[in-house]
Amino acid sequence: MLQPLQEQIAEATGFIRRQLPDEWSPQIGIILGSGLGSLADEIQAVASLPYSSIPGFASSSVEGHAGRLVLGTLEGTRVVAMQGRFHFYEGYDLQQVTFPVRVMKALGAHTLVVTNAAGGLNPDFRAGDLMFITDHINMLGWGGQNPLIGPNDAQLGPRFLAMNPAYDPELLQLGLKIAEECNVRVRQGVYIVLAGPNYETRAELRLLRQWGADAVGMSTVPEVLVARHGGMRVLGISAITNMALAESNEPVNHEEVLAVAEELRPRFLRLMRGLIARIGT
Ligand code: HPA
């Protein structure tokens, strides 16, 4: 008998498969962060499904998040992309936030490319930079919020999950090479997740930087945990949409985040196309 989570995954996967050509399965899962969703428009889609139509999916509402699952081919690679994601700060629990990753894996994706908008804590960074995530700090988990809490289904993954490394070192090296070939300058650094939805105080920013984080955001880590739990390889990219420096008196705002995401979009798309072309197999 299937465990409850497996049943939900099977139901969602069955629904999605019925919309796909026979034998079609994705190689790579992609999660597109705030302001970065336009990559999904470039996929030669075999199916485009609003989250609200998929059994077990919650529905996404925030500005800058369209809320659909797009399956199709990009640069010769079969992908399943989330255009818009679920955030903890919207009131979803982390099971809901990460359910799509379980489904991507069940559909056949062996690799997850996860993206987000983030604030730059590293003073060498600039708004508009792109950063490969080398590692993360899970403040949601420290606060008792982790999608892996609860009964563990050993068929889905291990009870005690090793997270060193969390982000695939070989993919990261390949990513750096591809970025150079695509002529896109990339940074590397540690991503720290907070629950949000408010941006950080100056005292918090000072602390996060002292802890060794280079970028701060409100997503990604729960999805990465579930991807790793399911044995997927993970590559993470943060778009630094604003600087988040303790010394600054400039308040961050969501409009600025979206405007900078717009400005860096051509570089982001070039990098993503290069990556997707090369990491399919
Ligand atoms: N802090 C937290 N999350 C963010 C930020 C920030 O400065 N920018 C974009 N997402």
Side-chain angles (χ1 to χ4, degrees):
M1 206 183 78
L2 289 181
Q3 300 293 314
L5 180 54
Q6 281 200 56
E7 266 175 36
Q8 286 174 34
I9 296 167
E11 198 184 338
T13 311
F15 170 84
I16 294 165
R17 285 216 178 98
R18 287 194 288 282
Q19 328 289 319
L20 301 175
D22 282 350
E23 308 292 320
W24 195 99
S25 71
Q27 299 155 283
I28 295 183
I30 304 172
I31 302 178
L32 296 168
S34 301
L36 305 174
S38 65
L39 184 74
D41 302 329
E42 303 196 8
I43 296 170
Q44 291 167 278
V46 292
S48 174
L49 310 169
Y51 295 151
S52 56
S53 72
I54 307 172
F57 273 52
S59 53
S60 172
S61 57
V62 180
E63 203 181 327
H65 302 262
R68 59 194 181 120
L69 196 67
V70 181
L71 300 103
T73 304
L74 185 65
E75 297 290 328
T77 300
R78 296 186 308 280
V79 301
V80 49
M82 290 184 75
Q83 193 173 34
R85 60 148 60 81
F86 303 108
H87 294 91
F88 184 66
Y89 63 72
E90 293 174 274
Y92 303 112
D93 66 37
L94 292 184
Q95 298 296 331
Q96 294 175 298
V97 167
T98 57
F99 184 68
V101 179
R102 296 273 184 214
V103 171
M104 286 174 166
K105 159 79 187 175
L107 287 169
H110 54 63
T111 298
L112 179 68
V113 179
V114 58
T115 71
N116 59 50
L121 296 165
N122 183 329
D124 294 338
F125 289 3
R126 294 290 170 268
D129 280 350
L130 294 169
M131 182 190 94
F132 280 125
I133 303 175
T134 55
D135 209 344
H136 73 220
I137 300 172
N138 181 9
M139 292 309 293
L140 281 172
W142 289 19
Q145 292 287 345
N146 185 313
L148 304 181
I149 288 176
N152 186 63
D153 181 343
Q155 288 184 330
L156 295 178
R159 169 77 292 181
F160 299 106
L161 174 67
M163 284 295 280
N164 59 336
Y167 299 82
D168 191 281
E170 282 176 19
L171 265 185
L172 176 63
Q173 287 312 311
L174 181 62
L176 290 169
K177 207 169 125 218
I178 293 168
E180 203 175 308
E181 287 166 12
C182 298
N183 205 14
V184 176
R185 188 181 72 153
V186 286
R187 311 288 200 160
Q188 297 179 59
V190 172
Y191 176 87
I192 189 162
V193 65
L194 303 184
N198 59 282
Y199 294 111
E200 300 72 32
T201 66
R202 297 166 82 182
E204 286 167 343
L205 292 174
R206 205 173 300 121
L207 183 71
L208 300 183
R209 182 63 189 147
Q210 281 170 7
W211 277 350
D214 297 288
V216 55
M218 307 175 192
S219 68
T220 300
V221 167
E223 293 113 315
V224 170
L225 280 165
V226 164
R228 296 296 300 131
H229 189 245
M232 297 173 83
R233 298 191 306 171
V234 179
L235 181 69
I237 303 172
S238 288
I240 306 298
T241 50
N242 56 282
M243 288 306 290
L245 300 176
E247 300 75 32
S248 167
N249 282 316
E250 282 294 310
V252 196
N253 65 72
H254 189 56
E255 286 66 40
E256 175 195 353
V257 166
L258 294 182
V260 175
E262 177 90 35
E263 182 271 319
L264 60 78
R265 179 177 299 159
R267 275 176 294 132
F268 174 76
L269 294 178
R270 203 156 79 236
L271 177 62
M272 287 296 282
R273 281 182 166 283
L275 292 171
I276 299 303
R278 297 274 292 278
I279 64 178
T281 47

